[in-house]
Amino acid sequence: AQCQPMEDSMNSLQISGLITSPPLRILTPALNVWKCMIKDLANEWAPDDVPWWHTERTLVGLLASSVWRCGGLAIEEYATEKKVRKPKAIKKSWQGDLWFQIKNRSFLAEAKKRYWSLDGKINGRSKRIKVGLRMARKDVVRTRRYDKSETRLGIYFWVPWRLKSKGDVTDGQIRAWVGELHKIKNAAVVWTFPRVARQVKDKDQSNGKWYYYPGVVMLMKQPRL
């Protein structure tokens, strides 16, 4: 079945969803396509693999593909310059994570990816999200804009995990996570936790333990300038 474009309301706590604030509403179609691509790939690859096990480059690449599928333009790992604060403020050659254009509006973005436990304290989750998103936003501020009309975006991929020994991942745990996403203001937020991925597990070679990684969240927000 094809994934149909939709945007979830701010009050819903769905297992798969999308929220966009007015400044980034133009991205809604591409973000919905990204969400659907992630879900479709998980359904196809499970139980051996899921897209969010890989680096942020993989997830950024799928976002670029989503932009193209919506009639936009996108380029990854493009040559640019970045300001380096230490040892002194200089510019150095850099590889930008993503530049894209939708309906004549251009964006440049830098991305970060982090893993967090599903079993951590709920009160600390939104703070951790904001810290990770702030890192990406600071990074993109230092990346050169070739046109003043380009919109800078920080992108933060958030992947939850749970020790297999603690039991299966439940809808309640995921909804508690999703509830924290609604606290991020003036951002675009996309998440998907396909049911087929709930039992996909991976072994950490450093400690020999098995972990579940049930889904992925992508957050986008403009930096303060």
Side-chain angles (χ1 to χ4, degrees):
Q2 271 193 323
C3 190
Q4 296 299 317
M6 63 174 293
E7 185 173 4
D8 297 317
S9 69
M10 288 294 291
N11 294 321
S12 64
L13 296 180
Q14 302 299 320
I15 299 305
S16 180
L18 164 64
I19 301 167
T20 51
S21 63
L24 300 177
R25 195 140 288 165
I26 192 174
L27 304 179
T28 298
L31 298 182
N32 189 75
V33 170
W34 182 86
K35 178 186 68 175
C36 293
M37 289 175 66
I38 293 288
K39 184 176 180 180
D40 290 345
L41 286 172
N43 287 331
E44 183 177 344
W45 293 354
D48 303 312
D49 197 1
V50 285
W52 52 89
W53 277 353
H54 304 278
T55 65
E56 69 263 18
R57 177 71 190 277
T58 301
L59 298 171
V60 168
L62 290 170
L63 178 58
S65 298
S66 301
V67 170
W68 281 103
R69 289 181 63 178
C70 291
L73 306 172
I75 183 171
E76 306 168 64
E77 293 293 302
Y78 64 95
T80 186
E81 293 178 345
K82 182 177 181 180
K83 290 181 182 178
V84 179
R85 295 177 179 175
K86 296 181 180 180
K88 58 182 180 179
I90 61 172
K91 293 181 179 179
K92 63 179 291 186
S93 297
W94 195 256
Q95 298 293 315
D97 285 344
L98 179 66
W99 176 94
F100 64 98
Q101 185 180 74
I102 295 179
K103 294 183 179 179
N104 296 320
R105 185 173 171 187
S106 299
F107 300 83
L108 66 91
E110 291 294 319
K112 304 292 181 185
K113 179 187 174 189
R114 295 291 184 273
Y115 293 87
W116 297 109
S117 171
L118 265 177
D119 297 308
K121 293 182 179 179
I122 293 178
N123 292 339
R125 292 175 188 170
S126 59
K127 182 178 179 180
R128 286 182 174 182
I129 296 171
K130 292 175 183 177
V131 169
L133 191 53
R134 191 179 303 125
M135 290 172 57
R137 293 163 68 201
K138 286 183 176 180
D139 211 18
V140 77
V141 166
R142 297 196 295 268
T143 302
R144 177 181 176 182
R145 282 194 304 186
Y146 290 89
D147 189 318
K148 291 183 179 180
S149 67
E150 291 174 344
T151 299
R152 289 186 170 108
L153 286 176
I155 300 178
Y156 183 49
F157 298 108
W158 201 35
V159 179
W161 56 264
R162 192 178 202 219
L163 273 168
K164 183 177 181 295
S165 60
K166 289 190 175 183
D168 295 343
V169 176
T170 67
D171 283 1
Q173 287 177 312
I174 292 172
R175 289 196 173 97
W177 259 60
V178 172
E180 295 300 298
L181 302 178
H182 291 266
K183 298 178 182 180
I184 310 300
K185 305 300 182 182
N186 300 316
V189 188
V190 195
W191 66 92
T192 185
F193 294 86
R195 293 196 179 278
V196 70
R198 306 294 177 83
Q199 304 305 317
V200 177
K201 57 187 183 295
D202 188 39
K203 188 176 184 180
D204 188 331
Q205 298 302 320
S206 65
N207 59 21
K209 296 180 180 179
W210 288 90
Y211 293 82
Y212 292 127
Y213 299 90
V216 62
V217 178
M218 177 171 66
L219 302 102
M220 289 181 168
K221 191 170 183 178
Q222 295 174 245
R224 293 177 180 175
L225 300 177

